[in-house]
Amino acid sequence: MKTRVRLERIIVIAGILVVLFLTLVTSSYYQNVLNQVEKDGGEDGNEYRYHYVMIVEDCDMPFWKDVYESTREAAREHNALVELMGKSLSSTIEIESLMDMAIASRVDGIILEYTGGHKIDERINEAGKAGIPVVTVLKDAPDTSRISFVGVNDYQLGRQYGEQILKLVPPDKDDVEVMLLLHDRDNSSQVQIAEQINNLLVTSPDTSGRVRLIQETMRSTGKVDADETIRNIFFRKEGVPDVLVCTEAVDTEAAYQAMIDYNKVGELQLLGYYKSDQILEAVRKGNIPVTLVIDTEQMGRYCVQALEEYLQEGHANSYYSVDLQFVTKENVD
């Protein structure tokens, strides 16, 4: 009998804790919305026509901060509000939960960094059934009800990565190792990029037979994990690769710092990603020969355009192609 009473108490306490957690999360969400409204010009008393939510895996990353700023500016031109939601130093809420909150709040549109998985697919389809359009960014979810994808063609991106790698391969070395850092080896987008890079390396007369492409999967997009994985690469028994290709800004910064710490500048050729202050300074010095920069201003504008077109006309383009550029010492400024 005592055991049963104790179990019932545990269940009641657990239920209370769950309710308190959900209340705290919901309260935090709405307070964030109110703060964003005030920040974005609620002082003049104007009411926004639409309320959009932008959900990304790590909202502290410079890339997503830049995309958000351009999205916010484009939305303001259409009298719409965009709220940024994602993991950060102060929040560890999963994307699935953020999607649930956005759907329950009946927002007018969702801009989503698609990270894959059936749970995210289910949320996208659930949003569609609720009449909430979803635009996927950078990675696509073509088998869901998303209305549009804003990003870069994977085939084109892989070919352009490959062309840059060809310029970095040492011309007088017979056994060259190129390492590609990925964050999801099973993601069809990254698989396509890796395949195109490899195809170019094995078919080019300058690299065929002497260049090997290997892939290393990063555990997450966080700085701590990136630092640890990069450090392990630098202390491999095989030594550092000849060329290291990064697909995230946090990986690029971690790799560059390791090059400095372990005196590998000039020995390792680093193909970077995006344009943080640290990365651009390294490019100016010639320590990072080239870095890929995606047009975040264009990306944000296209996200808003897709949502506006859908809400106004009932349809939108299924794909918006975003420009990219490889920045070197010659064109960094």
Side-chain angles (χ1 to χ4, degrees), residues 104-332:
S105 301
R106 302 290 301 175
V107 297
D108 298 297
I110 298 173
I111 300 167
L112 174 68
E113 178 197 6
Y114 180 67
T115 56
H118 70 277
K119 291 183 179 180
I120 301 297
D121 292 350
E122 289 174 354
R123 266 62 173 199
I124 295 175
N125 293 333
E126 183 181 341
K129 291 178 181 178
I132 302 173
V134 177
V135 174
T136 54
V137 186
L138 207 57
K139 301 180 182 69
D140 195 14
D143 297 326
T144 68
S145 62
R146 64 95 173 118
I147 64 162
S148 189
F149 166 60
V150 178
V152 180
N153 180 278
D154 296 327
Y155 175 87
Q156 175 192 7
L157 181 57
R159 297 292 294 183
Q160 294 199 31
Y161 260 127
E163 291 171 1
Q164 294 299 319
I165 293 170
L166 290 176
K167 300 176 183 178
L168 301 179
V169 170
D172 54 355
K173 188 174 182 179
D174 292 332
D175 185 17
V176 178
E177 183 178 73
V178 176
M179 179 180 287
L180 174 64
L181 300 182
L182 301 175
H183 282 263
D184 185 357
R185 194 185 294 265
D186 296 325
N187 182 281
S188 59
S189 173
Q190 298 203 345
V191 169
Q192 173 75 285
I193 292 171
E195 286 181 351
Q196 295 309 314
I197 292 174
N198 189 63
N199 288 342
L200 197 59
L201 292 179
V202 299
T203 57
S204 172
D206 294 330
T207 56
S208 179
R210 68 183 187 93
V211 177
R212 295 176 291 109
L213 177 67
I214 63 173
Q215 301 175 33
E216 179 73 23
T217 302
M218 307 294 287
R219 289 192 297 177
S220 81
T221 57
K223 183 180 185 304
V224 174
D225 285 334
D227 288 342
E228 181 180 349
T229 302
I230 293 296
R231 184 168 57 250
N232 291 338
I233 291 172
F234 273 69
F235 281 96
R236 296 185 313 159
K237 62 180 181 180
E238 303 92 340
V240 296
D242 298 285
V243 181
L244 183 62
V245 183
C246 299
T247 57
E248 296 284 356
V250 66
D251 303 339
T252 307
E253 293 178 346
Y256 177 56
Q257 188 59 52
M259 286 171 58
I260 296 174
D261 293 344
Y262 306 127
N263 196 28
K264 298 296 182 180
V265 176
E267 179 179 342
L268 167 66
Q269 296 296 310
L270 180 61
L271 201 168
Y273 182 91
Y274 206 51
K275 57 172 184 176
S276 69
D277 291 340
Q278 182 184 18
I279 294 173
L280 291 181
E281 183 60 26
V283 171
R284 291 188 185 95
K285 293 178 179 179
N287 294 336
I288 295 180
V290 60
T291 186
L292 169 68
V293 177
I294 295 177
D295 191 333
T296 54
E297 189 280 330
Q298 194 179 59
M299 179 170 281
R301 181 157 38 85
Y302 283 161
C303 288
V304 173
Q305 182 178 331
L307 290 173
E308 289 286 327
E309 287 182 359
Y310 184 84
L311 292 172
Q312 295 296 318
E313 304 174 15
H315 60 84
N317 290 338
S318 61
Y319 173 51
Y320 292 81
S321 179
V322 178
D323 295 336
L324 56 86
Q325 177 187 21
F326 284 96
V327 177
T328 66
K329 188 175 183 180
E330 286 69 31
N331 64 358
V332 64

